[in-house]
Amino acid sequence: MASSHTVLMRLVASAYSIAQKAGAIVRRVIAEGDLGIVQKTSATDLQTKADRLVQVSICSSLSRKFPKLTIIGEEDLPSGEVDPELIEDGQWEEVLKQPCPSQYRTIKEEDLVVWVDPLDGTKEYTEGLLDNVTVLIGIAYEGKAIAGIINQPYYNYESHEKQMLRGHRSAATAGPDALLGRTIWGVLGLGAFGFQLKEAPVGKHIITTTRSHSNKLVTDCISAMNPDDVLRVGGAGNKIIQLIEGKASAYVFASPGCKKWDTCAPEVILHAVGGKLTDIHGNALQYDKDVKHMNSAGVLATLRNYDYYASRVPESVKSALIP
């Protein structure tokens, strides 16, 4: 019975199913061929039909089940009737099989803040760089990110497409390699699930950073870290996945620009496996409902060797970025 589970684990189980539905919506919008792109503040700050539909789906689905939650989403959308097709009321039973960490067992619904990025990597989505795209649902308590769900709608899409081209028309006939998309989830004190943890090569400094929002501060900061390689990709969720899958050793973004809904869920996944995410000064990010949305002092994140990268942030960069 649902009441035998804690509020937090019921919320995570629901958010998992909701994120999976969101991934399906993201794929459907592209398949239908009309992205419905509008510019928000600039040519690199875009919104698509998928952003709008997914935000309505996530926020409406969560608020129906958990009416006392505070939910903060990226997109500013008018209220109105919600298409029942967008509502997901299921929950992922695998989550409910896990024990709730003791420090979160008595949390009340009204004490939680949910940060939603319906489509992280929108610009890349519009350009067909689909492996950059994620859906992010982060859950915070007392200003700290404690649970997170990341859906990758196009995880495995290249092998999926190859199998489809070979004449397999369904995942059932094409085998497990053809399964499209995945959902990663985690809770602090419990762990993170849905992926294989891997570390970047020892001794290599591989930095992942912004693809479309670079500037002199970003490049100066990265240069000071003597990188062996720099990966320029879209999406905060995507960059954290690169850290936990061993493709990069640090995520460096020495600039304002990313927001709390970009970092809340990814931070949890990273912290749950022993990594660290802070602003460029080393301060923890805060996620209470009244906090400003902008991460104005940037982001520095690693799975291991955080101190190496933190110690190399130039003073000129720190002084330019005010927390």
Side-chain angles (χ1 to χ4, degrees):
M1 205 166 72
S3 59
S4 68
H5 298 288
T6 61
V7 167
L8 179 63
M9 298 308 282
R10 286 194 295 114
L11 176 56
V12 174
S14 295
Y16 186 107
S17 292
I18 290 165
Q20 286 197 305
K21 183 173 193 84
I25 294 169
V26 169
R27 291 189 295 268
R28 191 186 80 215
V29 169
I30 274 202
E32 289 173 350
D34 176 16
L35 294 184
I37 300 167
V38 295
Q39 280 193 23
K40 293 198 286 185
T41 61
S42 70
T44 58
D45 186 17
L46 305 177
Q47 184 196 79
T48 69
K49 183 179 178 182
D51 293 84
R52 298 186 287 274
L53 289 176
V54 168
Q55 175 149 321
V56 170
S57 175
I58 293 173
C59 296
S60 302
S61 298
L62 284 174
S63 61
R64 287 186 185 204
K65 270 189 137 169
F66 303 93
K68 296 176 185 174
L69 282 181
T70 297
I71 305 171
I72 303 171
E74 176 175 7
E75 308 305 337
D76 189 14
L77 301 174
S79 57
E81 283 297 307
V82 176
D83 183 346
E85 285 286 306
L86 295 175
I87 300 299
E88 172 58 59
D89 61 3
Q91 56 186 15
W92 190 248
E93 296 298 328
E94 293 301 312
V95 173
L96 298 176
K97 292 176 183 175
Q98 298 283 349
C100 182
S102 57
Q103 65 268 39
Y104 305 137
R105 282 180 195 152
T106 58
I107 288 178
K108 297 184 176 70
E109 198 176 298
E110 55 267 35
D111 296 333
L112 294 167
V113 180
V114 179
W115 293 88
V116 175
D117 190 339
L119 203 163
D120 184 38
T122 297
K123 187 167 188 292
E124 287 69 29
Y125 180 66
T126 66
E127 295 172 5
L129 298 169
L130 302 178
D131 52 351
N132 288 214
V133 173
T134 58
V135 175
L136 306 174
I137 304 175
I139 300 164
Y141 172 65
E142 295 183 338
K144 184 177 180 181
I146 65 164
I149 297 90
I150 302 177
N151 178 272
Q152 277 183 291
Y154 290 98
Y155 175 73
N156 211 24
Y157 84 104
E158 285 176 346
S159 44
H160 181 270
E161 282 192 350
K162 283 174 189 164
Q163 294 227 23
M164 295 298 113
L165 287 171
R166 288 192 201 117
H168 297 294
R169 294 293 168 223
S170 73
T173 57
D177 287 346
L179 293 177
L180 186 56
R182 68 170 168 178
T183 302
I184 293 168
W185 68 279
V187 177
L188 285 194
L190 178 62
F193 308 88
F195 65 99
Q196 192 67 47
L197 183 66
K198 188 179 176 187
E199 298 193 21
V202 176
K204 287 281 187 188
H205 303 299
I206 305 167
I207 292 177
T208 183
T209 192
T210 181
R211 177 176 166 266
S212 52
H213 301 281
S214 196
N215 56 37
K216 188 175 186 300
L217 279 179
V218 174
T219 53
D220 285 353
C221 191
I222 290 170
S223 297
M225 293 172 177
N226 299 319
D228 295 294
D229 198 6
V230 179
L231 310 176
R232 300 185 188 282
V233 300
N238 180 36
K239 294 180 187 76
I240 295 299
I241 289 169
Q242 288 187 319
L243 295 184
I244 62 176
E245 294 195 324
K247 297 183 180 77
S249 39
Y251 165 23
V252 180
F253 185 53
S255 180
C258 90
K259 314 285 199 310
K260 294 294 188 290
W261 44 72
D262 293 307
T263 51
C264 187
E267 174 181 320
V268 173
I269 305 301
L270 184 63
H271 284 180
V273 294
K276 188 169 182 178
L277 185 150
T278 67
D279 71 11
I280 219 75
H281 298 271
N283 302 316
L285 301 183
Q286 298 298 311
Y287 294 98
D288 52 274
K289 64 183 177 185
D290 299 317
V291 78
K292 65 180 179 181
H293 295 168
M294 180 79 74
N295 292 323
S296 53
V299 176
L300 176 63
T302 68
L303 178 60
R304 305 284 180 258
N305 304 321
Y306 173 88
D307 291 346
Y308 169 89
Y309 297 95
S311 68
R312 282 161 177 74
V313 177
E315 288 302 320
S316 58
V317 170
K318 289 183 179 177
S319 61
L321 294 174
I322 310 302

